[in-house]
Amino acid sequence: MDVTVGGASARRGQGWWLGLVGAATVVLAVVCAGAAPTAPADRTLRAIASVAVVPGVLALSQLLLLRSKRIEPATIGVAGLGAVILGVNASDNGGMLFGVLLALLAAVPFAFLSGFLSLNAQAGHALFSAVALLIGAETLVGDIAPEGTVLVRSSWLAALDYNGARIPGLFLIGVALFLVVAWYLPRQERRLAVPDPGWLRVTVLLFLPAFLLAAVAGFAFTARIGATTQAGLSREFMIVCLLGLTAGGCSLRSGEGTVLDVAVGSLFAGALQTLLQLKNVGFSTQSTILCVVAVLFIFADLARLRRTPAAEPPLPPYPPLPAQPGPVPGNPYAR
């Protein structure tokens, strides 16, 4: 889906935006600490950091696509599919490694097909195909996962459990991914800055890393909750991803966004989710609240966009003056 407007608008006041969202995140963290008076404050902060990893990793994958002026919903389908594959295959006898490989292999065809459609089909066809892939991923989830809830039993997941770990392992994974994307993104954009990069080049440099990040988000989600459900995963992923992007000020209209924007927005989303969980808000109500907050951020983004003056074409050069005759050698009247 093309999300540009031909460079006709740009966001303003991003520094103030990040400051306000960062202050709101601190306030939410304080409220979370007050909502759980029996839990140590550092445990509450670890919980917020771990919860923030899932929207953070998802928003990072979307940032790769956002900077190329495209957002593919099928990325979220891969994340949900990856989470279910990991959950179904997680065990203490090596099944986790097999699940990781399956999730990565499942991401590859989605990436290549999305890259091809984005460059070779019209925007409407590409978006329709991406939604079809998302529905297909949901259907495949229902075929793979047993009915009801599949409990995950794995030493790896237990080590990453944010309720018991002294060091939030998931948060450290998220920090590492943010650093990798911050290093990779400018290099990837330079490699794509060619007249006609081709769908294969775009897929390898842009879509494939984004889809692999989405698969990692599926792993992080499975590790955080310790269980995976049969359906509805991709819808939740879409909501938290949208909130992580919009809360950080990434503009879905002008295509502007940085790694720092995603990091701040993800921490805000993690603090808000943690507060809702501490207040024992129901799952459906949580999704509704997160979606409403994300939509409010979208309207705020539209309100702070400003028009940029169109680049005026350069004036045509003046025609060259006719050559003046030079002095004639031997002319006694020449001055």
Side-chain angles (χ1 to χ4, degrees), residues 21 30 32 38 43 62 64 87 91 102 163 180 185 191 193 196 206 212 215 244 265 286 308 328:
V21 174
V30 173
C32 288
T38 58
R43 181 176 178 181
Q62 291 296 318
L64 286 169
S91 64
L102 278 181
N163 280 319
V180 169
L185 188 57
R191 290 170 183 151
D196 186 13
L206 185 74
L212 295 182
Q286 283 189 38
T308 55
V328 179

Side-chain angles (χ1 to χ4, degrees), residues 3-5 9-11 66 69 251-256 301 305:
V3 296
T4 63
V5 289
S9 59
R11 57 183 183 172
L66 181 67
K69 319 305 181 192
S251 178
L252 304 183
R253 182 170 177 81
S254 65
E256 295 177 284
D301 170 64
L305 287 178

Side-chain angles (χ1 to χ4, degrees), residues 143-274:
D143 293 337
I144 294 178
E147 294 188 4
T149 300
V150 182
L151 296 180
V152 177
R153 305 296 181 187
S154 173
S155 57
W156 288 15
L157 296 181
L160 293 174
D161 183 8
Y162 77 97
N163 280 319
R166 280 184 69 87
I167 300 177
L170 286 179
F171 183 67
L172 296 180
I173 292 176
V175 170
L177 290 174
F178 271 80
L179 294 176
V180 169
V181 173
W183 173 85
Y184 174 78
L185 188 57
R187 290 160 177 79
Q188 162 262 344
E189 289 179 337
R190 285 198 299 269
R191 290 170 183 151
L192 291 178
V194 295
D196 186 13
W199 72 271
L200 181 61
R201 185 178 182 86
V202 173
T203 299
V204 173
L205 295 179
L206 185 74
F207 284 92
L208 194 55
F211 279 77
L212 295 182
L213 279 175
V216 173
F219 165 71
F221 179 79
T222 306
R224 180 168 63 83
I225 67 175
T228 181
T229 55
Q230 177 176 339
L233 283 176
S234 63
R235 288 188 291 274
E236 180 182 355
F237 280 135
M238 292 183 72
I239 293 174
V240 295
C241 173
L242 182 64
L243 179 58
L245 283 171
T246 57
C250 296
S251 178
L252 304 183
R253 182 170 177 81
S254 65
E256 295 177 284
T258 66
V259 179
L260 178 61
D261 302 339
V262 176
V264 174
S266 303
L267 289 174
F268 175 86
L272 181 58
Q273 280 187 295
T274 302

